[in-house]
Amino acid sequence: MKDTDIKRLLYTHLLCIFSIILSIFIPSFFLENFSILETHLTWLCICSVFVTAVNLVLYLVVKPNASSKRSSLSYKVARFLKCCIYFLMSCFFFHVIFVLYGAIIFETLQLREIPPVIYIFVFYRVTSIWENSLQITTISSFIGTWLGAFPIPLDWERPWQVWPISCTLGATFGYVAGLVISPLWIYWNRKQLTYKNN
Amino acid sequence: MLDCCARTGEEKETRALHAASAGRRVVFMGDDTWKDLFPGAFSQAFFFPSFNVRDLHTVDNGILEHLYPTMDSGKWDMLIAHFLGVDHCGHKYGPHHPEMAKKLSQMDQVIQGLVERLENDTLLVVIGDHGMTMTGDHGGDSELEISAALFLYSPKALFPGAPPEEPEIVPQISLVPTLALLLGLPIPFGNIGEVMAELFSEVEDAQPHSSALAQASALHLNAQQVSRFLHAYSAASQDLQITELHRLQNLFSNASADYQRLLQSPQGAEAALQTVITELQQFLRGVRALCIQSWARFSLGRMAGGAALMAAACFLCLLVSQWVTSPGFCFRPFLLIPMACGLAGTIVCAGLLTTTGLKLDPVVLGAVAAVGSLLPFLWKAWAGWGSKRPLAALLPIPGPVLLFLLIRFAAFFSDSFVVAEARATPFLLGSLILLLIAQLHWEGKLLPPKLLTMPRLCFPASTGPPRHSGTYALGLGVGLLLCIRLAGLFHRCPEETPACRSSPWLSPLASMVGGRAKNLWYGACVGALVALLAVVRLWLRRYSNLKSPEPSVLFVRWGLPLMVLGTAAYWALASGADEAPPRLRALVAGASVVLPRAVAVLAASGLMLLLWRPVTVLVKATTGAPRTRTVLTPFSGPPTSQADLDYVVPQIYRHMQEEFRGRLERTRSRGPLTVAAYQLGSVYSAAMVTALTLLAFPLLLLHAERVSLVFLLLFLQSFLLLHLLAAGIPITTPGPFTVPWQAVSAWALMATQTFYSMGHQPVFPAIHWHAAFVGFPEGHGSSTWLPALLVGANTFASHLLFAVGCPLLLLWPFLCESQGPRKRWQSLGNEAEARVRPEEEEEPLMEMRLRDAPHHFNAALLQLGLKYLFVLGIQILACALAASILRRHLMVWKVFAPKFIFEAVGFIVSSVGLFLGIALVMRVDGAVSSWFRQLVLAQQR
């Protein structure tokens, strides 16, 4: 793995973090009564749209798998369809996990609001070959979601101690942490990592 | 807001019940908590919902709407108005907030308005039952939280002089006698408060003598009541200090005599009255101090000693469980001899005590036994271990499961988590299951599914051959999570969470109205019973032999359906007993006595049979040469790594070797008579599963009908968990067998989860008392142990079942060994052939591998038991530590202490169950040994 690749990874991840931070502040200029806690779902949608957009743009700009030899239109369409199928499958998979898992703790009705943040890097995962960083971000956001469930039973009477706010906040924090950690982790372990592609 | 005792700004609060009983008209308005506390006590009441902390105004505005009209109407003797806004405002905004200022000025206006409307014979009492911290919360024991204002007002002058600059602090319990006497009611018997003497002075008379006399008589009434209470209490219980008690009784009799004498001669000096008043006050305060000292006394030394003892026991469990499987451990010097020492010590001690005529104390005897066995063990261990090797080598390497144990340990210290344990345990269990699947994936124990080929994060390569496909493990995991999710539907809410609603399925069917729904539910319950039976029989048919003529197998075939029938019939009677026609009443009553007892007797006889003949093996004598068939584990795809090659090449070699040997043998003549024993590979687990089923049925009968679904889920999810765990446990022959920590932790977590889904809560009001009347509808007479046993069996059913089933954790991986070849048989479609020539199918060794290494088998059983005890032990240690460290916490008697008691009893039940389970395995082992011996004898003849 070349150092330039790691640098590119780091910068793209910093941009992702920046987009998440922007998604906190920008909507308040356009929307009235916007706050992360009160209109949580709106924020979540905006945040995921931001991250998706940034990822798509970065994908087009950086082209992590530009080495692909076949570049016919049909191949691209097939790839895109494959991505969509993978995306839907992963949505379904996470949905099942959240229903089985989260529903134990929370009411079933609210389960429809599955954190879309999770989906973003699922989408990202299939369109990129930087699998290591993807795995790290996925795992860390999953751990973040898991840790986010812990404060719910406490009697602190804080407004964020409600399903699904604490879990999605945990997922977001985990995602950000994963974005920060993954380039560093890859940098430290660059000697052991070997890839077929490079 | 968890604590429902949060009330601020009450007026005229007193024992509403007492006043109501004396014919007073009590009007209440405000917080609806009072509705449940004093049902039917009020002549008129206006309740408003109070649990929403964000709602500052509903209760207060509701009161204000009714307060003045009610006051003016005059139809009341006592009016209680419980304002709640200030408290909620403190919780939501804190004390230094504009909202709080608004709320406080509103309360000021209320008081002003009341003061203007008061008549001369009315007393206004404004109290708060607690203060608030700087953040506006309460519940602790800080000075700010436990002190509140007390404001008394009457248009008539209340106090003889100007009130003092620094008014004295009045204990909250003094309100009860004061208000009771002011209302002309008797003081409640259990009161130890002291009347506020100033309120009883006759100000208008302006005669100091009569004022002092009135105070003295009020105090004397109060002191008489307290003395009566003290007398009754000290007669019933001996925990008050004798000398102090005598001093106080003398004080009271002196003061009482003085008072009587002064009443006889009313011209007595005022000074004498003052001394009587001081004496009575001294008596009341003395009693209060005595009671507080005696009631809220914690022996810190004993607490610390107990916790240290428990911690030491846990640590010893951990050390020995790791040490047992190490090569230098022998049973005889380390365990048997210390046990004998302990027993001998106990007998000697008991003999000494009886000869000297002292009372035999079981605690002392137990302690002697423990110390007597522990000391030789430690001494031997010290000598055997040697001082060179470090002790830390014995400690297990921390893994992710340690994190789970730590979380569980820490969760016992938070009242919120103890209250929410019913939801937190399935969460942890689900996480542990997902972790297990992820671990299987990372360690490469799963065959990668063909669709997804993900490169691994540079983790160590596979340690053993993959045995199961990823979809198999994933399917198990999803099934487990589904079971846990479904079991979560059955939950009972703790009292502390008012928003939570208990599952209606926990109530017995008899309480249901509506015939159709009841019938459907009844059908579902019977269906669950039949499904449970079918699952167990299916399992036995698959792993064991239902054709064996052994009595225990016959019992499983015929006795279990009988038990199902009996249970179903009992439920039908119990749920529809009220609808029975009158002439059948006697029959129904008789049947509801007989049926549960019959089921229990059947289960007991089944267990007896199982203990008598635990070996369920079908023996067939056949002629023919023994043929060995190598087991080829299914392996798909070309070998990709060195590990795969290491695995495949010997297999091919062995297969070829067998082929050659087979050809050679076929040319020879037929061999001597051989004996084929079927299902020897699952003798242990077959006995365990049969015993568990037999135990489950009487326990099921003690629960409400619909909990049978939970029992079905219990069996299903423990089967699934065992399969999942077995996928991750490598079979090391002949080496030391171990059960990993995550397996034991998951088992213990599942026991707790099932405890909650059976509708229990670790609080005393949640105990299912009706279990005592199953089979005894008329009660038990004077015997207490039988109902206690029934209720205990109901409460700790899951602890018992999981503890008895604990050895399955060790046995299951060996059981799962048979899956590979079986699948191959089925996939070949040779079932017909297999049926024609069943003799040719060579069973894998399965559990006989355990018998091949008896020393390791014993060590593994001991290790398993110790590990399970350790996991349970740190739970009870955490509970004990929480209850002792947080002994001044508001929730200690409501949450921590009951949790500790339940956990302790559960621990005892689990230990007994574990002992029984291991004893059953040992019994089966002994029976198998004697069976082999008989076989060899028969062969020799």
Side-chain angles (χ1 to χ4, degrees), chain A residues 86 89 93 96-97 99-101 103-106 108 111 125 131-132 135-136 139 142 146 149-155 157-159 185 192-193, chain B residues 1-2 53-54 137 403-404 407 414-417 420 423 426-428 430-432 434 442 451-452 454-458 474 478 481-482 484-485:
Chain A
Y86 274 133
M89 271 173 57
F93 176 71
V96 167
I97 285 197
V99 166
L100 286 178
Y101 203 98
I104 295 164
I105 312 165
F106 317 108
T108 334
L111 277 166
R125 118 176 280 150
E131 276 132 351
N132 259 325
Q135 278 181 335
I136 292 170
I139 291 171
F142 201 79
W146 186 73
F150 275 90
I152 292 177
L154 291 171
D155 57 351
E157 309 285 348
R158 294 287 171 269
W185 193 84
Q192 288 96 325
L193 293 168
Chain B
M1 189 182 69
L2 268 179
V53 178
R54 288 175 203 155
D137 296 314
L403 178 76
F404 280 91
I407 290 174
S414 156
D415 59 328
S416 316
F417 272 109
R423 296 178 300 155
F427 178 77
L428 273 186
S431 313
L432 193 58
L434 284 187
W442 291 125
L451 196 65
L452 298 164
M454 289 191 290
R456 288 167 194 152
L457 283 171
C458 64
L474 214 61
V478 170
L481 289 180
L482 194 71
I484 296 170
R485 175 78 190 83

Side-chain angles (χ1 to χ4, degrees), chain A residues 14-30:
Chain A
L14 285 181
L15 273 175
C16 280
I17 297 173
F18 187 63
S19 73
I20 291 179
I21 295 171
L22 276 187
S23 75
I24 298 172
F25 294 110
I26 285 188
S28 52
F29 295 116
F30 305 107

Side-chain angles (χ1 to χ4, degrees), chain B residues 284-333:
Chain B
L284 289 168
R285 282 168 201 176
V287 171
R288 199 164 67 230
L290 181 69
C291 288
I292 286 172
Q293 194 200 1
S294 150
W295 290 340
R297 192 172 47 190
F298 296 103
S299 168
L300 285 181
R302 285 185 184 194
M303 278 180 180
L309 212 59
M310 259 192 265
C314 283
F315 186 65
L316 207 63
C317 264
L318 184 67
L319 276 189
V320 176
S321 74
Q322 294 301 115
W323 191 20
V324 146
T325 46
S326 69
F329 191 87
C330 327
F331 277 87
R332 191 183 293 274

Side-chain angles (χ1 to χ4, degrees), chain B residues 381-462:
Chain B
W382 185 254
W385 183 248
S387 49
K388 277 162 271 173
R389 283 183 285 174
L391 204 65
L394 268 182
L395 295 176
I397 306 137
V401 70
L402 188 74
L403 178 76
F404 280 91
L405 287 180
L406 262 182
I407 290 174
R408 190 141 168 70
F409 188 82
F412 286 110
F413 288 87
S414 156
D415 59 328
S416 316
F417 272 109
V418 174
V419 168
E421 204 193 5
R423 296 178 300 155
T425 315
F427 178 77
L428 273 186
L429 186 58
S431 313
L432 193 58
I433 287 161
L434 284 187
L435 181 80
L436 280 174
I437 296 173
Q439 232 174 9
L440 281 179
H441 177 71
W442 291 125
E443 287 172 3
K445 295 228 177 88
L446 300 175
L447 287 172
K450 280 178 188 150
L451 196 65
L452 298 164
T453 46
M454 289 191 290
R456 288 167 194 152
L457 283 171
C458 64
F459 272 97
S462 103

